[in-house]
């Protein structure tokens, strides 16, 4: 079923602002916020600590289960935003596009960008470059 709302499609899809496509603007916004949060806040430090070694993070007093839960909530929220952007770009969500895509492509891109599979190392900018 196609999305016929022009505002939605221009905001989340094929629109532009000052000649820059809206998807590029969303990418710049996400990378900027992600870079700041993971490099300059306590949340980012805890996420890196738990990702590197949950046992060591617990030994220092960090609540690793709470931080993991927070990361999962954030991941789900950003996956929802990605779905909005994907639907806006395609003016809908045709099943053939979703089914034909490799389920491991996103993970490979992030690994190419320098993120370790077992956690503790990686960056937002590296993930962007890998993609």
């Amino acid at each position: 079923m196609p999305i016929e709302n022009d505002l939605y499609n221009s905001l989340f899809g094929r629109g532009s602002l000052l000649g820059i496509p809206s998807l590029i603007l969303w990418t710049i916004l996400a990378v900027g916020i992600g870079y700041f949060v993971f490099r300059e806040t306590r949340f980012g430090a805890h996420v890196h600590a738990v990702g590197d070694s949950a046992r060591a993070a617990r030994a220092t007093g960090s609540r690793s289960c709470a931080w993991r839960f927070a990361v999962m909530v954030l991941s789900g929220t950003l996956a929802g935003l990605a779905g909005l952007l994907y639907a806006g770009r395609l003016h809908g969500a045709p099943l053939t596009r979703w089914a034909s895509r490799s389920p491991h492509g996103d993970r490979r891109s992030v690994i190419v960008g320098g993120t370790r599979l077992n956690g503790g190392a990686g960056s937002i900018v590296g993930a962007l470059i890998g993609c």
Side-chain angles (χ1 to χ4, degrees), residues 27-94:
T27 302
I28 292 169
L29 181 69
V31 168
I33 291 171
Y35 181 83
F36 175 77
V37 167
F38 287 111
R39 298 281 292 182
E40 303 295 332
T41 65
R42 288 184 60 210
F43 175 76
H46 284 288
V47 169
H48 276 290
V50 170
D52 195 26
S53 173
R55 186 177 295 153
R58 270 193 306 275
T60 63
S62 180
R63 300 172 310 171
S64 61
C65 288
W67 292 114
R68 282 185 178 182
F69 181 76
V71 167
M72 290 298 166
V73 169
L74 180 63
S75 177
T77 302
L78 293 176
L81 176 62
L84 289 172
L85 295 171
Y86 196 71
R89 185 181 73 134
L90 297 176
H91 298 280

Side-chain angles (χ1 to χ4, degrees), residues 112-131:
V112 167
T115 301
R116 291 188 314 184
L117 281 176
N118 55 353
S123 70
I124 300 292
V125 175
L128 175 67
I129 291 169
C131 289

